[in-house]
Amino acid sequence: LRALYAYPAKVVFLDTLFSDAIDPSLDRELADAIKLLPTFVVEGVRQSPGFDSTGKPAPTTFPMKPLEIIANAARGLVAANVFWDKDHVVRHFSPSFGMLDRFETPMAKVARAADPSLSEFPGPRDLIKYYGPPPALTQVSLFQVLDRENPLPKSLLENKLVVVGRALAIAPDVSLAETFTTPYKSKVAVREEIPATAAARIVRRERTRRCRFKTALFGTLADLGLPP
């Protein structure tokens, strides 16, 4: 975070959950570093197994908050959970926790910090418009950011929206692997590319809106020259 401040980055999304206290001095040091830039911190999701009244599996989902000192230092908390369709392809903007009366994607918070003039955000029928087969966005390793002898070009991170997190394409445990299939099915994207793409498209006001079924059917009939 201090290295990103040196560029400086415009907004940072820290997609690493700090829910366990280990050393108070280290927690304070991290909190101080978070305050250097407009930094959003992830809040996680945990599922507990359970069953409904009919005996069908119905896991209980509840958020996991970061340490209070970390949460207070951050600009805000963001749920970076990834949802996929029945074919396991990630197409939609993820919804925020508890938004039953209206749709709001968590990455809207990050995008709004990057561009306060934003007034329109994705709806439940909007689809993420990917930039291409992954990796379509610039990915930088941690050691490259920390390498003082061979610094990265300033233009690479200066005034940019930066997502910080792990990128485990191959993991010793299947549960740790964080790769997801995009509409470009020949390749998969690491987890961080999905919220980064979502935030970038919101800032640039670019997204694909899926038509309602009746509208799509009418358009198909019209294209075929058939009466609706």
Side-chain angles (χ1 to χ4, degrees), residues 42-73:
V42 69
E43 60 175 342
V45 177
R46 176 179 290 172
Q47 284 191 334
S48 297
F51 300 88
D52 61 17
S53 58
T54 64
K56 294 182 179 179
T60 301
T61 301
F62 57 93
M64 295 174 58
K65 302 288 185 181
L67 293 171
E68 185 176 357
I69 188 174
I70 304 300
N72 291 339

Side-chain angles (χ1 to χ4, degrees), residues 66-96:
L67 293 171
E68 185 176 357
I69 188 174
I70 304 300
N72 291 339
R75 176 68 65 91
L77 302 181
V78 173
N81 43 309
V82 176
F83 293 93
W84 53 84
D85 294 337
K86 292 181 179 179
D87 57 358
H88 297 285
V89 176
V90 180
R91 298 183 177 90
H92 298 84
F93 291 88
S94 299
S96 292

Side-chain angles (χ1 to χ4, degrees), residues 3-12 37-38 110-111 113-116 153-163 200 203-204:
L4 292 175
Y5 176 70
Y7 281 91
K10 189 170 188 178
V11 179
V12 177
L37 290 166
V110 182
D115 183 357
K154 190 173 183 179
S155 60
L156 189 63
L157 295 172
E158 183 181 21
N159 207 36
K160 296 294 194 304
L161 192 160
V162 179
V163 177
V203 170
R204 295 174 179 174

